[in-house]
Amino acid sequence: MVRGQPAPRYPTGNLNGGNPMKYTLPELPYGYSALEPHYSAKLLKLHHDKHHAGYVKGANTTLEKLSEARAKEDFAAINQLQKSLAFHLSGHVLHSLLWKNLSPRGGGEPDGELAAAVKEFFGSFTALNRQLTEAAMNIQGSGWGALGWEPLGKRLVVEQVYDHQGNIGNGTVPLLVLDMWEHAYYLQYENVKGDWVKAFWKLVDWSDVAMRFSSVRTLDLAL
């Protein structure tokens, strides 16, 4: 350490004491049937226990392969591995957020500072609802619609997420996400994905979104 400079904020070496953390499937914050009739227990169980769990397993497996590649200095498949990590880890993050965004007592509109921010950046809640709905409905292929915080411009933005990677820019933090992969709705809504989107708005936990907004709005990218 250079004299006169503050000590590092974090210890050197592995932050987990030499035992790298593995990603784990989070438990749902409610029972499988809690979101019915808008989201069936059968669909929620499949979505969480199979699809989300698959992304968790994929992220951990890819990290193991990257570790093996480093040890052997064999990076012939580096492009594939990096894309695999981005795909599975982003899927894990987005699904973990989705479960928190939903609630049996959801629906309605935001209030307080979040409502004021929605009015500032979109004009009204109705305008936000329409833009996010259209963004989600018009995903080309598989993906997500999202309401996020863009910390450089310090504004709320609607984002289209293709597969699991966003279409706004690095640094944007998702606050509310809407899964438009077929596995998220087809078992219950078949090909009428518009009905799934209508149901989604009846499940949104605005207190969760407001908490995230309050936490992230002070994020400074120091650019």
Side-chain angles (χ1 to χ4, degrees), residues 46-58:
L46 178 68
H47 196 173
H48 175 267
D49 294 6
K50 299 299 183 181
H51 290 284
H52 187 174
Y55 296 125
V56 174
K57 181 179 180 181

Side-chain angles (χ1 to χ4, degrees), residues 71-125:
K72 298 176 181 178
E73 295 189 351
D74 178 13
F75 291 103
I78 188 66
N79 288 347
Q80 179 183 350
L81 290 171
Q82 292 295 158
K83 289 179 180 178
S84 177
L85 181 60
F87 178 80
H88 290 293
L89 182 53
S90 295
H92 175 33
V93 169
L94 289 168
H95 280 90
S96 298
L97 177 56
L98 176 65
W99 310 136
K100 297 287 189 177
N101 281 164
L102 303 181
S103 169
R105 298 171 297 281
E109 300 183 14
D111 56 17
E113 292 184 346
L114 177 58
V118 167
K119 184 175 181 180
E120 177 182 358
F121 297 114
F122 297 98
S124 67
F125 172 73

Side-chain angles (χ1 to χ4, degrees), residues 137-173:
M137 290 287 294
N138 286 282
I139 292 288
Q140 295 176 330
S142 299
W144 303 64
L147 172 67
W149 178 252
E150 198 285 285
L152 188 59
K154 298 190 181 302
R155 66 179 67 246
L156 291 172
V157 293
V158 165
E159 181 175 7
Q160 286 181 316
V161 178
Y162 291 97
D163 288 338
H164 293 146
Q165 281 77 59
N167 198 32
I168 283 288
N170 287 331
T172 302
V173 182

